[in-house]
Amino acid sequence: MVTHQTIGERDEILSAEDLAALRENLHEQLLFRREQLRQFATASRADDRRVRVDAAQVEVGVKLAASARMVLADVEEALSRMDSGTYGVCHLCRRTVERHRLLIVPQARYCGRCQQVREAGR
């Protein structure tokens, strides 16, 4: 069978092996973030029992927990997109998210071009 791929086109196509590795990576991130949030909750209860708590430490903990919740939500959404067959499709332009981008950031929602546009607009 002959395929007519241009140079570099292969870099944009996710193979079944890529998807399996990405799913495994996302699942590991999911478990890590859930454990991280569990530890934050445990530490928060311990902090409540202390009479003197450093306000800066509490603020850092709150921000870390918020960040972990955001990443967890992104990972859960990426796994959901995998299950629904929409994984790797840009949420804005509906083009394929670049393979190399997904291999670096498996939960990416946007192609590189749309991500740049979003970041420039902030």
Side-chain angles (χ1 to χ4, degrees):
M1 180 168 112
V2 175
T3 61
H4 299 284
Q5 291 182 336
T6 60
I7 295 174
E9 185 177 325
R10 172 65 188 111
D11 291 335
E12 302 304 314
I13 300 170
L14 287 173
S15 68
E17 293 82 14
D18 289 337
L19 281 172
L22 288 165
R23 182 180 292 276
E24 183 177 336
N25 180 305
L26 287 164
H27 186 69
E28 288 172 6
Q29 286 188 55
L30 180 84
L31 296 176
F32 172 78
R33 295 302 175 178
R34 286 180 177 165
E35 176 60 20
Q36 187 179 35
L37 287 170
R38 187 193 65 71
Q39 289 176 3
F40 285 139
T42 302
S44 177
R45 285 191 296 274
D47 287 345
D48 290 344
R49 286 178 253 159
R50 284 192 283 175
V51 177
R52 290 178 57 181
V53 177
D54 182 18
Q57 283 181 322
V58 171
E59 184 178 349
V60 168
V62 167
K63 288 182 178 185
L64 287 172
S67 176
R69 279 191 293 278
M70 285 178 20
V71 173
L72 177 61
D74 287 346
V75 167
E76 289 172 337
E77 288 174 20
L79 287 167
S80 178
R81 290 192 304 273
M82 278 186 169
D83 292 341
S84 70
T86 60
Y87 182 77
V89 176
C90 179
H91 282 209
L92 290 178
C93 69
R94 299 292 178 214
R95 291 187 181 133
T96 301
V97 177
E98 301 87 351
R99 177 181 179 270
H100 67 272
R101 180 166 168 71
L102 290 170
L103 293 174
I104 295 168
V105 184
Q107 66 270 27
R109 294 179 190 168
Y110 307 104
C111 67
R113 187 177 59 114
C114 288
Q115 184 65 42
Q116 287 177 341
V117 169
R118 286 179 48 82
E119 289 174 4
R122 289 184 184 169

